[in-house]
Amino acid sequence: MTARVLTSRAAAIVGGALLALSPLTAQAAQAAPAPHTASPAQPARTAPAVAAKGAVLVDGATGRTLFGKEADTARPIASTAKIMAASVVLETQGVDLEKQVSVKQAYRDYVTQHGSSTADLQTGDKLTVRQLLYATLLPSGADAAYALADTFGTGTTEAERTASFVSQLNAKAAGLHLTHTAFDSFDGGGTDTSTPAELAKLARHAMQNDTFRTIVKTKQYKGEAPAANGRTRYYTWNNTNQLLGSYNGVTGIKTGTTTPAGDCLVFAATRGDKTLIGTVLNSKDRYADAAKLLDHGFGTTTATTMKLRALPANSQRD
């Protein structure tokens, strides 16, 4: 056993001497590249081309901007203003989501006068605040938004209460440091304005509320309410946001459309542990724009094969 060990050591010494003296081996050793341990740099993603006049995409967790197009330019925002209306209601101290609110004819008249989208609330029906939030955010009912403004504003008249509620929207905007955001209506039917970046910031704030998150990810809501005649009224509201159910991971948030604002969309999506929030304002193809932005953030190509969820024939369009 000792002899074999000595023989092995001797062979190693002789081999080492031969390697040290061999010019070919020395040249090979010098020519051999050093081990490469650093990973190659990843190429930067090409920014997507979007039709929207203003757009932004942010990291939902940090707020870091991942894409921007005139992101700090204020524009009309249409019914995306209802995000703020819902936030003000939900953040009212001691809010009772099961409180019943009686539908007034004035709420229906407002829809007729302004040609607004509607939840088709029936005069005399009693809906809960929670139901009114669904009615405001899914079919984008201006009648439901009016009911919330009339309930959560202060004053002796409907005009005073709705004006008070609009003041609360602006106060909340100031509290969130949305310096380029201004409201003059409770439903986005006025000259309400914001920037893509500030709307995304508002959306990040709103999505922290469990009730808000639950509502805006709902494709269809079915509920019942006591009717004025003592019977039961049945309501069905479909979410106007067609990105929901069309792009994997989308969790909301809100559409908006008026002639001055064009087609607008505030959206959110989560895949794995990554959440993205974005805004497109005045777009000729808001859903394609949103899908492109989400692909940019997730590093995917879903937009190329996305098929939009069809809305029932009698659904509101916003």
Side-chain angles (χ1 to χ4, degrees), residues 14 28 35 56 59 75 101 132 139 157 166 173 179 203 213 227 252 258 274 280 294 305 318:
V14 171
V56 76
D59 184 298
R75 299 181 183 280
V101 176
L132 290 174
T157 67
V166 172
T179 57
R213 285 200 311 275
T258 61
K274 188 173 188 178
V280 291
L294 289 173
T305 57
D318 178 40

Side-chain angles (χ1 to χ4, degrees), residues 10 22 24 31 40 44 54 80 82 95 134 136 143 150 166 168 171-172 192 203 214 233 246 261 272 278 280 289 294:
S22 169
L24 291 175
T80 63
K82 293 184 175 91
V95 61
Y134 274 95
T136 297
D143 44 357
D150 192 24
V166 172
Q168 293 179 52
K172 178 69 71 175
D192 313 85
T214 297
R233 183 90 61 191
S246 303
V280 291
D289 281 350
L294 289 173

Side-chain angles (χ1 to χ4, degrees), residues 45 59-60 64 66 269-276 296-299:
R45 291 176 191 159
D59 184 298
R64 183 171 65 90
L66 306 176
T270 299
R271 289 187 177 181
D273 60 355
K274 188 173 188 178
T275 294
L276 302 174
H296 179 66
F298 288 127

Side-chain angles (χ1 to χ4, degrees), residues 2-299:
T2 303
R4 281 199 295 270
V5 172
L6 290 174
T7 303
S8 299
R9 289 178 177 172
I13 293 171
V14 171
L18 288 173
L19 285 172
L21 295 173
S22 169
L24 291 175
T25 304
Q27 290 175 8
Q30 292 173 1
H36 181 69
T37 56
S39 59
Q42 295 296 321
R45 291 176 191 159
T46 302
V50 296
K53 291 185 178 179
V56 76
L57 181 74
V58 303
D59 184 298
T62 65
R64 183 171 65 90
T65 300
L66 306 176
F67 172 91
K69 178 181 179 181
E70 296 193 26
D72 297 316
T73 299
R75 299 181 183 280
I77 58 174
S79 287
T80 63
K82 293 184 175 91
I83 297 171
M84 180 62 91
S87 293
V88 166
V89 170
L90 288 167
E91 293 168 27
T92 297
Q93 187 173 7
V95 61
D96 178 5
L97 295 180
E98 307 312 317
K99 175 184 177 180
Q100 288 189 326
V101 176
S102 184
V103 176
K104 298 178 182 179
Q105 182 62 36
Y107 307 160
R108 293 179 57 83
D109 292 342
Y110 179 87
V111 168
T112 302
Q113 292 164 5
H114 293 82
S116 307
S117 50
T118 178
D120 197 23
L121 304 183
Q122 298 298 302
T123 303
D125 287 3
K126 294 181 179 180
L127 288 87
T128 66
V129 171
R130 187 189 305 275
Q131 288 176 315
L132 290 174
L133 286 167
Y134 274 95
T136 297
L137 293 170
L138 268 61
S140 199
D143 44 357
Y146 194 157
L148 290 173
D150 192 24
T151 300
F152 287 87
T154 58
T156 57
T157 67
E158 289 173 10
E160 289 176 350
R161 290 190 292 272
T162 54
S164 165
F165 187 74
V166 172
S167 295
Q168 293 179 52
L169 305 187
N170 286 307
K172 178 69 71 175
L176 293 173
H177 306 291
L178 308 181
T179 57
H180 300 292
T181 299
F183 300 93
D184 70 351
S185 77
F186 50 77
D187 66 333
T191 57
D192 313 85
T193 56
S194 187
T195 70
E198 291 191 0
L199 266 184
K201 184 176 180 180
L202 170 60
R204 285 185 65 225
H205 173 79
M207 290 292 274
Q208 293 175 17
N209 183 280
D210 291 341
T211 301
F212 183 89
R213 285 200 311 275
T214 297
I215 293 173
V216 297
K217 72 178 181 182
T218 302
K219 298 186 188 74
Q220 185 182 78
Y221 172 88
K222 291 187 176 184
E224 58 185 57
N229 61 8
R231 298 182 179 179
T232 299
R233 183 90 61 191
Y234 297 92
Y235 286 99
T236 298
W237 298 309
N238 294 293
N239 198 322
T240 59
N241 178 10
Q242 290 178 266
L243 196 65
L244 189 69
S246 303
Y247 188 101
N248 182 37
V250 168
T251 56
I253 299 175
K254 186 71 190 74
T255 57
T257 305
T258 61
T259 299
D263 287 356
C264 304
L265 180 67
V266 180
F267 55 94
T270 299
R271 289 187 177 181
D273 60 355
K274 188 173 188 178
T275 294
L276 302 174
I277 291 176
T279 303
V280 291
L281 297 181
N282 202 334
S283 172
K284 294 181 179 179
D285 199 345
R286 58 184 167 186
Y287 297 119
D289 281 350
K292 288 177 184 177
L293 291 176
L294 289 173
D295 274 353
H296 179 66
F298 288 127

